[in-house]
Amino acid sequence: MSIDIAWARAELDRFLELTELRPLNHSPGDIAVFSPRKITSGAEKDIVASAQVVEQILDRVLPRWRDEVPGNSRVNRWYQHREAVHRAIVVLERDAEIRQRLGDDAPQVSAGTMHSWAWEGARPLWQSGHFREAVTAAARKINAEAQNKLGRKDISETTLFKQAFSQDLPKPGQPRLRLRDDDGSDTYRSVHRGAMAFAEGCYAAIRNPNSHEDGLPELPEHEALEQLAAFSVLAHWVDGSTLIT
């Protein structure tokens, strides 16, 4: 899991300390009262500040915690948060151990390490659980960046990348993207032919169904991550290529 576990654990522990209920006393102070008998250990302003950070950690570790973790405001306004924090701590502490013990200690893919065009395009929707729309947003972002690099606003998506990676010589108003120097080799030709086909596959088989078919169920997060990774590969190729005019 690509997260600073020690830092995250410290933030979660701090939140639990602040929101722990204790018997009400008569000492003055900025303390939020939730029942006639008990109060939180921390001041309301400190709890709210901590919650801003904790919610972002929970969104990373338990993306659906708001829907899946029960709440009980009659016990404590922060009951749902505390329950989610306890679960997140277990995930943070034991994720690596569980995968190792169950024989699935495989490398993990993090969207945050993908090309910025892919992740920054997807991030807002991804963090709210709209994975299919997030992949579509990443596809639009990469298309826009490719248009900017090529100076082509007249074409987009499949047509754009077909022309960009075409092995034909550039023409006025039709520059090309080159992933390596033309040395006349089969490798040079196969690389650009493959990039063209790969881009077409990304937009024809991933972006188009996600955008144009109504009523599709939400993508499971792991499937959306695989699709996002495909667009990240394309983004790296476009960003790292040489523009030939």
Side-chain angles (χ1 to χ4, degrees):
M1 183 176 298
S2 60
I3 184 173
D4 186 333
I5 294 178
W7 169 82
R9 177 61 194 270
E11 292 291 335
L12 297 177
D13 286 343
R14 172 64 175 158
F15 179 81
L16 290 177
E17 292 174 4
L18 290 170
T19 56
E20 184 176 2
L21 293 178
R22 62 181 179 81
L24 178 64
N25 58 40
H26 299 289
S27 301
D30 185 15
I31 297 177
V33 178
F34 295 109
S35 78
R37 295 180 300 279
K38 291 189 176 183
I39 57 175
T40 55
S41 296
E44 174 73 356
K45 62 182 178 61
D46 295 330
I47 295 174
V48 170
S50 177
Q52 293 298 315
V53 177
V54 164
E55 287 177 354
Q56 295 182 62
I57 296 172
L58 293 176
D59 287 342
R60 285 286 304 279
V61 180
L62 302 170
R64 289 178 286 278
W65 67 274
R66 288 180 174 84
D67 298 322
E68 296 179 353
V69 178
N72 190 340
S73 59
R74 290 179 298 177
V75 175
N76 186 341
R77 171 186 171 185
W78 303 102
Y79 183 95
Q80 184 186 38
H81 284 68
R82 287 177 57 84
E83 177 70 17
V85 164
H86 283 298
R87 297 187 188 192
I89 287 173
V90 174
V91 173
L92 289 171
E93 290 185 339
R94 307 204 64 188
D95 178 69
E97 174 193 350
I98 290 170
R99 287 188 289 107
Q100 183 179 24
R101 296 295 185 184
L102 295 179
D104 189 27
D105 192 20
Q108 301 295 296
V109 177
S110 168
T113 63
M114 295 182 190
H115 195 285
S116 60
W117 295 350
W119 178 231
E120 293 305 321
R123 183 202 296 266
L125 288 161
W126 195 283
Q127 292 180 337
S128 62
H130 296 85
F131 303 124
R132 191 181 294 279
E133 292 180 46
V135 174
T136 299
R140 288 197 297 265
K141 171 68 171 174
I142 293 164
N143 175 76
E145 294 292 347
Q147 286 180 319
N148 290 338
K149 182 165 185 172
L150 290 157
R152 300 290 305 272
K153 298 298 177 66
D154 55 318
I155 56 175
S156 64
E157 299 188 351
T158 299
T159 303
L160 176 71
F161 291 104
K162 278 185 175 180
Q163 293 193 20
F165 291 119
S166 169
Q167 296 175 51
D168 295 340
L169 293 175
K171 302 175 183 178
Q174 296 183 21
R176 310 297 184 200
L177 296 180
R178 293 293 178 251
L179 298 170
R180 56 185 296 162
D181 292 335
D182 185 359
D183 57 1
S185 66
D186 289 340
T187 300
Y188 168 84
R189 288 187 288 272
S190 66
V191 163
H192 291 86
R193 184 174 67 251
M196 183 190 301
F198 183 82
E200 181 177 7
C202 286
Y203 283 91
I206 298 177
R207 192 275 193 207
N208 287 350
N210 283 350
S211 302
H212 302 314
E213 292 189 21
D214 295 330
L216 290 176
E218 184 56 81
L219 277 176
E221 186 173 12
H222 70 277
E223 289 186 24
L225 192 62
E226 292 171 354
Q227 294 185 3
L228 190 67
F231 280 104
S232 178
V233 170
L234 179 59
H236 277 293
W237 287 348
V238 174
D239 193 22
S241 63
T242 301
L243 182 70
I244 305 296
T245 59

PDB file of all heavy atoms in Angstrom, residues 94-105:
ATOM      1  N   ARG A  94      -1.988  -4.793   9.037  1.00  0.00           N
ATOM      2  CA  ARG A  94      -1.952  -6.214   8.709  1.00  0.00           C
ATOM      3  C   ARG A  94      -2.095  -6.529   7.227  1.00  0.00           C
ATOM      4  O   ARG A  94      -2.090  -7.693   6.842  1.00  0.00           O
ATOM      5  CB  ARG A  94      -3.040  -6.943   9.495  1.00  0.00           C
ATOM      6  CG  ARG A  94      -2.988  -6.671  10.997  1.00  0.00           C
ATOM      7  CD  ARG A  94      -3.629  -7.761  11.786  1.00  0.00           C
ATOM      8  NE  ARG A  94      -2.941  -9.030  11.643  1.00  0.00           N
ATOM      9  CZ  ARG A  94      -3.412 -10.185  12.119  1.00  0.00           C
ATOM     10  NH1 ARG A  94      -4.570 -10.206  12.753  1.00  0.00           N
ATOM     11  NH2 ARG A  94      -2.742 -11.300  11.963  1.00  0.00           N
ATOM     12  N   ASP A  95      -2.231  -5.493   6.397  1.00  0.00           N
ATOM     13  CA  ASP A  95      -2.416  -5.743   4.961  1.00  0.00           C
ATOM     14  C   ASP A  95      -1.278  -6.568   4.380  1.00  0.00           C
ATOM     15  O   ASP A  95      -1.502  -7.575   3.712  1.00  0.00           O
ATOM     16  CB  ASP A  95      -2.533  -4.411   4.215  1.00  0.00           C
ATOM     17  CG  ASP A  95      -2.667  -4.607   2.714  1.00  0.00           C
ATOM     18  OD1 ASP A  95      -3.714  -5.107   2.284  1.00  0.00           O
ATOM     19  OD2 ASP A  95      -1.720  -4.263   1.985  1.00  0.00           O
ATOM     20  N   ALA A  96      -0.044  -6.137   4.619  1.00  0.00           N
ATOM     21  CA  ALA A  96       1.105  -6.859   4.068  1.00  0.00           C
ATOM     22  C   ALA A  96       1.181  -8.276   4.632  1.00  0.00           C
ATOM     23  O   ALA A  96       1.457  -9.245   3.915  1.00  0.00           O
ATOM     24  CB  ALA A  96       2.392  -6.098   4.356  1.00  0.00           C
ATOM     25  N   GLU A  97       0.922  -8.405   5.943  1.00  0.00           N
ATOM     26  CA  GLU A  97       0.976  -9.724   6.576  1.00  0.00           C
ATOM     27  C   GLU A  97      -0.074 -10.663   5.993  1.00  0.00           C
ATOM     28  O   GLU A  97       0.217 -11.829   5.680  1.00  0.00           O
ATOM     29  CB  GLU A  97       0.750  -9.580   8.079  1.00  0.00           C
ATOM     30  CG  GLU A  97       0.652 -10.911   8.811  1.00  0.00           C
ATOM     31  CD  GLU A  97       0.107 -10.750  10.226  1.00  0.00           C
ATOM     32  OE1 GLU A  97      -0.027  -9.605  10.704  1.00  0.00           O
ATOM     33  OE2 GLU A  97      -0.196 -11.791  10.830  1.00  0.00           O
ATOM     34  N   ILE A  98      -1.296 -10.155   5.828  1.00  0.00           N
ATOM     35  CA  ILE A  98      -2.379 -10.994   5.321  1.00  0.00           C
ATOM     36  C   ILE A  98      -2.081 -11.472   3.904  1.00  0.00           C
ATOM     37  O   ILE A  98      -2.256 -12.649   3.572  1.00  0.00           O
ATOM     38  CB  ILE A  98      -3.716 -10.219   5.369  1.00  0.00           C
ATOM     39  CG1 ILE A  98      -4.157 -10.044   6.828  1.00  0.00           C
ATOM     40  CG2 ILE A  98      -4.800 -10.951   4.568  1.00  0.00           C
ATOM     41  CD1 ILE A  98      -5.322  -9.109   7.007  1.00  0.00           C
ATOM     42  N   ARG A  99      -1.596 -10.548   3.056  1.00  0.00           N
ATOM     43  CA  ARG A  99      -1.285 -10.956   1.685  1.00  0.00           C
ATOM     44  C   ARG A  99      -0.174 -11.994   1.657  1.00  0.00           C
ATOM     45  O   ARG A  99      -0.197 -12.933   0.861  1.00  0.00           O
ATOM     46  CB  ARG A  99      -0.902  -9.726   0.852  1.00  0.00           C
ATOM     47  CG  ARG A  99      -2.091  -8.839   0.509  1.00  0.00           C
ATOM     48  CD  ARG A  99      -1.724  -7.727  -0.471  1.00  0.00           C
ATOM     49  NE  ARG A  99      -0.900  -6.710   0.155  1.00  0.00           N
ATOM     50  CZ  ARG A  99       0.384  -6.545  -0.069  1.00  0.00           C
ATOM     51  NH1 ARG A  99       1.031  -7.351  -0.914  1.00  0.00           N
ATOM     52  NH2 ARG A  99       1.073  -5.589   0.529  1.00  0.00           N
ATOM     53  N   GLN A 100       0.794 -11.842   2.547  1.00  0.00           N
ATOM     54  CA  GLN A 100       1.896 -12.804   2.592  1.00  0.00           C
ATOM     55  C   GLN A 100       1.420 -14.156   3.090  1.00  0.00           C
ATOM     56  O   GLN A 100       1.743 -15.205   2.522  1.00  0.00           O
ATOM     57  CB  GLN A 100       3.009 -12.278   3.500  1.00  0.00           C
ATOM     58  CG  GLN A 100       4.230 -13.197   3.551  1.00  0.00           C
ATOM     59  CD  GLN A 100       5.317 -12.623   4.432  1.00  0.00           C
ATOM     60  OE1 GLN A 100       5.050 -11.834   5.322  1.00  0.00           O
ATOM     61  NE2 GLN A 100       6.541 -13.024   4.187  1.00  0.00           N
ATOM     62  N   ARG A 101       0.630 -14.163   4.147  1.00  0.00           N
ATOM     63  CA  ARG A 101       0.146 -15.412   4.722  1.00  0.00           C
ATOM     64  C   ARG A 101      -0.794 -16.151   3.786  1.00  0.00           C
ATOM     65  O   ARG A 101      -0.831 -17.386   3.768  1.00  0.00           O
ATOM     66  CB  ARG A 101      -0.571 -15.126   6.041  1.00  0.00           C
ATOM     67  CG  ARG A 101       0.317 -14.540   7.130  1.00  0.00           C
ATOM     68  CD  ARG A 101       1.377 -15.498   7.584  1.00  0.00           C
ATOM     69  NE  ARG A 101       2.132 -14.950   8.707  1.00  0.00           N
ATOM     70  CZ  ARG A 101       3.180 -15.540   9.255  1.00  0.00           C
ATOM     71  NH1 ARG A 101       3.608 -16.699   8.763  1.00  0.00           N
ATOM     72  NH2 ARG A 101       3.799 -14.983  10.266  1.00  0.00           N
ATOM     73  N   LEU A 102      -1.564 -15.397   3.009  1.00  0.00           N
ATOM     74  CA  LEU A 102      -2.517 -16.024   2.088  1.00  0.00           C
ATOM     75  C   LEU A 102      -1.899 -16.324   0.726  1.00  0.00           C
ATOM     76  O   LEU A 102      -2.591 -16.730  -0.201  1.00  0.00           O
ATOM     77  CB  LEU A 102      -3.751 -15.129   1.910  1.00  0.00           C
ATOM     78  CG  LEU A 102      -4.598 -14.930   3.168  1.00  0.00           C
ATOM     79  CD1 LEU A 102      -5.770 -14.005   2.863  1.00  0.00           C
ATOM     80  CD2 LEU A 102      -5.106 -16.263   3.699  1.00  0.00           C
ATOM     81  N   GLY A 103      -0.613 -16.088   0.596  1.00  0.00           N
ATOM     82  CA  GLY A 103       0.066 -16.424  -0.655  1.00  0.00           C
ATOM     83  C   GLY A 103      -0.200 -15.456  -1.776  1.00  0.00           C
ATOM     84  O   GLY A 103      -0.100 -15.813  -2.942  1.00  0.00           O
ATOM     85  N   ASP A 104      -0.545 -14.215  -1.444  1.00  0.00           N
ATOM     86  CA  ASP A 104      -0.844 -13.233  -2.482  1.00  0.00           C
ATOM     87  C   ASP A 104      -0.002 -11.981  -2.268  1.00  0.00           C
ATOM     88  O   ASP A 104      -0.479 -10.854  -2.362  1.00  0.00           O
ATOM     89  CB  ASP A 104      -2.335 -12.876  -2.466  1.00  0.00           C
ATOM     90  CG  ASP A 104      -2.729 -12.015  -3.663  1.00  0.00           C
ATOM     91  OD1 ASP A 104      -2.054 -12.119  -4.705  1.00  0.00           O
ATOM     92  OD2 ASP A 104      -3.685 -11.245  -3.533  1.00  0.00           O
ATOM     93  N   ASP A 105       1.266 -12.191  -1.954  1.00  0.00           N
ATOM     94  CA  ASP A 105       2.150 -11.065  -1.686  1.00  0.00           C
ATOM     95  C   ASP A 105       2.677 -10.486  -2.998  1.00  0.00           C
ATOM     96  O   ASP A 105       3.873 -10.442  -3.255  1.00  0.00           O
ATOM     97  CB  ASP A 105       3.304 -11.521  -0.794  1.00  0.00           C
ATOM     98  CG  ASP A 105       4.098 -10.340  -0.241  1.00  0.00           C
ATOM     99  OD1 ASP A 105       3.544  -9.226  -0.235  1.00  0.00           O
ATOM    100  OD2 ASP A 105       5.254 -10.546   0.166  1.00  0.00           O
TER     101      ASP A 105
END
